Amino acid sequence: MEGELELLHVLKNSFYVFLGACCFGILSTVVKLAYQEGFLFQEVMISQFGTGWLILLLLMLFFGRQKVTGKQFLRLAGVGLCTCLTGVTYYLALQSIPASIAVVLLFQFTWIGVIIEAIVKRQWPDKSTVISVIILFVGTIMAGGILGANELQLNWKGTLLGLTAALMMALFVFFSGRVETQMSPITRSFYTSTGGLILLTILFTPKVYTEISLFDNGLWLFGLILGVFGVVLPVLLFALGAPKISTGLATILGAGELPVAVIASVLVLSEQVTALQWIGVIVILLGIAYPQMAAQKGGRVPAVQR
C-alpha cells in the first residue's frame, strides 16, 4: 500500500513537470507568429518576461507572501537566469542555423541533465534512464526533420548557441528541483522570473522599456500568451514537481516540449510535417514513458529526489 501511494506521488509530480515542458512547446509557434507581425527579438523577449513577471507578482501578493533573504533571492534569481538564457541563446541560434538543427541541439539537454545528476550524485544513471535518453535522442533526430534534409547548414556560432541553450535548459531543470524547495511554488516562481527579467534588462539596457509599447500595436497579446506559457505555468509546474522527482527523470519528462511544438506548428501555422517526423514524435513519447513503465514492470517506484 505504501509503495502504491509513493508511486502515485511520483506520477503526480512527473505529470506536473511534463505539463510544464508542454507549455514550453507552444512558444516557438507563438514567436513565429510574432515575427510575422513584424515584432523584433527584443520586443518578444521583454514582453514575455515582463508580462510573466507581472502575473506572478499579482499571484504572490494575493496567495504567496513569504519573507525572502538576500541569499535566497540570489539563488532563485540564478534559476531565472538559466531559463532566460535558454530562450535568448535558442532564439539567437535560430538566426544562423535551420530550425530543425536548432531543435536537435536544444534537446541535447536530455543527456546533459542526466550527466549533471550523475556528477552530483557520483553514480552512474540506472539502465532505464540510459535507455530512455537513447530513445529520446533517436526520436529527436526524426522529429526534428534532419533526416531527409537536402543539406545541413551548420556554423560554429549557431551550433555553440544551440548547445548553450541545451546546457541552460538542463541547469534550469536541475536547479528547479533543488533550490529553495521549502518555499511556496508561487514565491519561488516570482523570484525566479525576477532573475530572468533583470538579465534581459542588463542585456538590452533599461532604455528598451521606453522603446517598446505593449498596447499600441498588439504586442500585449503575444506577451500575454508567451508570459503565461513561457514563464508563469512552466516555472510554477517545475517548482511543484521537480523537487519531488530525480533530476534525470525531470529532464526526460522535459522532452515533452518537442511533440507539442510539432503539433502546434501543424495546427496553428499549417506547417508540413512528414510521416517520419510523426513517428519521431511517437518515439519521443515512448522515451518519456519508458522509465515509468520499466519501474512498474520491475515492481519499484520511479526515480525520486533524495
Side-chain angles (χ1 to χ4, degrees), residues 18-269:
F18 178 71
L19 280 181
C22 290
C23 290
F24 280 133
I26 75 164
L27 298 184
S28 58
T29 295
V30 179
V31 169
K32 286 180 182 179
L33 289 174
Y35 286 161
Q36 288 175 10
E37 292 296 318
F39 296 113
L40 303 176
F41 167 73
Q42 292 92 331
E43 293 175 315
V44 171
M45 291 296 297
I46 287 291
S47 68
Q48 175 179 327
F49 277 86
T51 305
W53 182 84
L54 287 173
I55 294 172
L56 285 169
L57 174 62
L58 293 174
L59 289 175
M60 189 186 71
L61 291 176
F62 283 105
F63 305 109
R65 293 188 183 183
Q66 190 173 353
K67 288 186 177 180
V68 175
T69 66
K71 190 174 183 180
Q72 289 174 319
F73 169 73
L74 289 175
R75 288 176 177 173
L76 291 169
V79 181
L81 297 185
C82 293
T83 185
C84 179
L85 284 173
T86 301
V88 170
T89 52
Y90 180 62
Y91 293 159
L92 288 176
L94 287 170
Q95 295 180 357
S96 55
I97 57 177
S100 58
I101 303 295
V103 167
V104 171
L105 290 173
L106 172 64
F107 273 78
Q108 302 312 302
F109 79 83
T110 51
W111 61 263
I112 293 174
V114 170
I115 289 177
I116 290 173
E117 183 182 44
I119 292 173
V120 171
K121 288 188 173 182
R122 297 182 181 180
Q123 66 181 39
W124 290 102
D126 58 39
K127 181 180 177 182
S128 65
T129 298
V130 174
I131 293 175
S132 179
V133 169
I134 293 172
I135 295 172
L136 290 173
F137 180 77
V138 173
T140 301
I141 295 294
M142 297 170 69
I146 287 183
L147 297 178
N150 293 328
E151 60 180 88
L152 298 181
Q153 301 172 11
L154 288 176
N155 64 63
W156 68 269
K157 181 181 177 182
T159 301
L160 184 60
L161 285 168
L163 291 175
T164 301
L167 175 60
M168 290 299 107
M169 182 65 180
L171 289 173
F172 167 68
V173 174
F174 176 77
F175 288 124
S176 291
R178 292 176 179 268
V179 175
E180 305 301 337
T181 56
Q182 78 284 356
M183 285 186 184
S184 71
I186 291 177
T187 301
R188 292 180 64 206
S189 300
F190 170 73
Y191 287 107
T192 296
S193 67
T194 300
L197 189 60
I198 289 174
L199 176 62
L200 284 183
T201 303
I202 294 172
L203 291 176
F204 298 148
T205 74
K207 185 182 177 182
V208 72
Y209 293 101
T210 64
E211 298 174 342
I212 294 178
S213 175
L214 283 175
F215 300 102
D216 290 345
N217 49 15
L219 181 60
W220 70 269
L221 179 59
F222 293 104
L224 180 62
I225 298 172
L226 291 170
V228 170
F229 289 96
V231 179
V232 179
L233 288 179
V235 174
L236 270 174
L237 289 166
F238 271 86
L240 280 169
K244 312 238 174 77
I245 59 177
S246 72
T247 300
L249 179 57
T251 303
I252 289 168
L253 292 165
E257 178 182 347
L258 184 52
V260 174
V262 173
I263 293 170
S265 68
V266 172
L267 295 178
V268 180
L269 301 175

Side-chain angles (χ1 to χ4, degrees), residues 286-304:
L286 289 174
I288 293 170
Y290 181 80
Q292 312 283 359
M293 296 187 295
Q296 291 184 32
K297 185 177 179 180
R300 58 184 175 80
V301 177
V304 182

